[in-house]
């Protein structure tokens, strides 16, 4: 097997930035073209497997968590364990987030995406940055572009970052109300994530508050996704198949649908539920669980006739914290499957060197060994030599 780390040609960010005439994601113009732009075409092997089934797993009810019902809490932890061992995906209901908070977040995100293209491009995300507008990620990649536009910003769990001030500073004073709505939504997502981390700890048999403490001062990313209708929906994706590199993803999808996960060797659609949040395990938590839990392989298809939207909260630890499994867990394990790393290292890898896919964590470990060798990464030389990109 080839031990060389082969980065995806389409993820050569520096080369893409130097190209002139980067594609502008304006669907009113793109869909009038005689030929569908090749940048949006995805390989046949990715597109061939159309989802015919739905994942019919019962959502996890958090009502008992809030009431302190130990039997209900243990049941929820057991359900999370089952899902995390099998495919890394579950939904939660009775989560404590009001319907009005969700509705208002959608309303203000919709208002943003309806702004003139020139206004959105003025807020374009800078190379390597996490905040701002992105149209099909065309400024980062040159092929297999996703048929979507996004608006993202960071949120510090200890409230050192004021979302209201950020929104006003980049969008103007007239968007103060939007900033207030986003701030409240992010706080709700942080609180929900800490509840889920408690249940994850219980499910792994470690100190219930270990992950809560680990993430309570984290720096997460809030993102709004807008997937316009696409007449050639069968040729492209809204988001291609990938694992999320972060720790946990909490998503709310609208009623159009389009999210699919890979479970039991087939793609399965996730039916939208207005009262539920979708939760995905990401690569960073895979490392925190020492590989016990699975990162969720998922994708998003686009609709021929309707716009699809989603609200996503990517949960991350503080950038300089060492990502390593809890001692309680490691006392029962023979070895650590991954070297210690920081979220800032993994973020740098995915933002500047590699396009997140189904092998991000493995290739990151190899990259870490080559580019940032430490006593923690040295023992992984032989293991990474057996990996392929």
């Amino acid at each position: 097997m080839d031990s060389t780390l082969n980065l995806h040609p389409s993820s050569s960010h520096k080369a893409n930035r130097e190209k002139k005439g980067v594609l502008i994601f304006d669907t009113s113009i793109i869909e009038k073209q005689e030929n569908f732009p090749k940048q949006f075409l995805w390989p046949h092997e990715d597109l061939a497997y159309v989802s015919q089934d739905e994942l019919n797993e019962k959502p996890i009810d958090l009502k008992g968590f809030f009431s302190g019902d130990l039997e209900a809490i243990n049941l929820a932890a057991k359900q999370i364990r089952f899902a995390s061992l099998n495919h890394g995906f579950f939904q939660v209901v009775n989560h404590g987030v009001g319907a009005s908070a969700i509705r208002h977040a959608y309303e203000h995100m919709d208002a943003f995406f309806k702004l003139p293209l020139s206004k959105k491009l003025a807020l374009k995300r800078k190379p390597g940055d996490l905040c701002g507008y992105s149209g099909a990620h065309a400024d980062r990649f040159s092929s297999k572009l996703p048929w979507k536009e996004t608006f993202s910003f960071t949120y510090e769990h200890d409230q050192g970052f004021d979302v209201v001030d950020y929104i006003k500073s980049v969008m103007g004073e007239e968007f103060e109300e939007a900033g207030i709505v986003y701030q409240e939504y992010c706080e709700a997502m942080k609180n929900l994530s800490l509840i889920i981390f408690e249940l994850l700890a219980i499910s792994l048999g470690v100190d219930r508050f270990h992950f809560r403490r680990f993430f309570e001062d984290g720096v997460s990313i809030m993102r709004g996704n807008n997937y316009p209708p696409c007449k050639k929906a069968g040729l492209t994706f809204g988001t291609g198949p990938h694992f999320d590199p972060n720790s946990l993803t909490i998503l709310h999808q609208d009623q159009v649908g389009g999210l699919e996960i890979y479970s039991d060797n087939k793609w399965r659609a996730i039916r939208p539920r207005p009262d539920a949040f979708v939760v995905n395990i990401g690569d960073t938590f895979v490392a925190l669980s020492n590989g016990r839990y699975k990162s969720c392989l998922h994708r998003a298809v686009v609709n021929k006739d309707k716009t699809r939207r989603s609200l996503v909260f990517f949960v991350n630890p503080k950038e300089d914290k060492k990502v390593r499994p809890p001692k309680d867990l490691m006392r029962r394990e023979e070895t650590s499957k991954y070297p210690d790393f920081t979220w800032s290292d993994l973020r740098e890898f995915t933002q500047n060197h590699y396009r997140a896919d189904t092998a991000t964590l493995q290739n990151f470990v190899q990259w870490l060994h080559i580019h940032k060798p430490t006593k923690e990464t040295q023992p992984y030389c032989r293991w990474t030599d057996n990996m392929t990109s």
Side-chain angles (χ1 to χ4, degrees), residues 42 74 108 169 192 232 254 334 343:
W42 282 72
N74 288 330
H108 286 282
S169 69
L192 177 56
K232 301 290 186 179
D254 68 8
E334 292 183 2
W343 167 244

Side-chain angles (χ1 to χ4, degrees), residues 73-84:
I73 290 172
N74 288 330
L75 174 60
K78 183 178 180 180
Q79 290 174 303
I80 285 177
R81 178 178 175 82
F82 173 83
S84 300

Side-chain angles (χ1 to χ4, degrees), residues 10-25:
S10 60
S11 66
S12 179
H13 303 320
K14 183 177 180 181
N16 288 334
R17 291 171 196 152
E18 293 174 350
K19 290 181 180 179
K20 294 182 179 180
V22 172
L23 182 146
I24 301 299
F25 189 59

Side-chain angles (χ1 to χ4, degrees), residues 11 53 248 254 286 297 344:
S11 66
D53 300 313
L248 207 65
D254 68 8
V286 171
L297 178 58
S344 61

Side-chain angles (χ1 to χ4, degrees), residues 195-248:
I195 290 170
I196 294 169
F197 283 128
E198 283 192 43
L199 293 171
L200 282 165
I202 295 171
S203 74
L204 285 167
V206 302
D207 174 10
R208 172 173 172 169
F209 300 105
H210 175 85
F211 296 124
R212 171 182 275 272
R213 290 191 294 266
F214 187 79
F215 285 96
E216 63 187 2
D217 60 351
V219 181
S220 294
I221 303 167
M222 176 68 201
R223 175 175 296 169
N225 290 321
N226 189 62
Y227 303 85
C230 181
K231 294 178 182 178
K232 301 290 186 179
L235 301 178
T236 190
F237 279 119
T239 302
H242 70 289
F243 297 130
D244 289 338
N246 54 289
S247 299
L248 207 65

